[in-house]
Amino acid sequence: MGMKARVSRVVPAIGFVLAAVLFGCTPQGPSDEVLRERVEAVLSNASDVPGEIEVGVSDGVVTLTGSLLCENCGGQRTPGGFGTIQQSVGAVVRAIPGVESVEFSLSAEP
């Protein structure tokens, strides 16, 4: 195999490794810390979910703890009367790439 062929095979691999390092990803997905930051950012920007939810991540499993009380969330129901706030939060979090599953430890207490 010629030098040019070897270089053309090595360069994409180096690019993948560099991207993984820069974006906190491994071939298995983002690190738990990066994933936690992403979940927190998404939840803080979602106007229809409670703001006092704590996020924990272990091996891609997101654990949400805190209160479901939310003045802007329509009480215990989401706008339009479909589903619960927990379902809305779960849907938002599950849509984040790298989230394997979501576990809840949420209450309706402040």
Side-chain angles (χ1 to χ4, degrees), residues 69-93:
L69 295 180
C70 179
E71 289 182 28
N72 299 326
C73 298
Q76 292 296 320
R77 306 292 287 177
T78 57
F82 296 102
T84 66
I85 295 171
Q86 180 170 309
Q87 288 171 323
S88 293
V89 171
V92 168
V93 173

Side-chain angles (χ1 to χ4, degrees), residues 30-46:
S31 69
D32 287 344
E33 181 63 24
V34 168
L35 193 54
R36 183 187 58 76
E37 290 172 0
R38 289 179 183 171
V39 171
E40 288 175 345
V42 167
L43 290 178
S44 70
N45 290 318

Side-chain angles (χ1 to χ4, degrees), residues 19-80:
V21 170
L22 289 175
F23 295 108
C25 297
T26 63
Q28 297 82 23
S31 69
D32 287 344
E33 181 63 24
V34 168
L35 193 54
R36 183 187 58 76
E37 290 172 0
R38 289 179 183 171
V39 171
E40 288 175 345
V42 167
L43 290 178
S44 70
N45 290 318
S47 62
D48 61 340
V49 299
E52 299 299 320
I53 295 178
E54 294 181 32
V55 178
V57 180
S58 179
D59 296 326
V61 177
V62 176
T63 302
L64 304 173
T65 58
S67 174
L68 286 173
L69 295 180
C70 179
E71 289 182 28
N72 299 326
C73 298
Q76 292 296 320
R77 306 292 287 177
T78 57

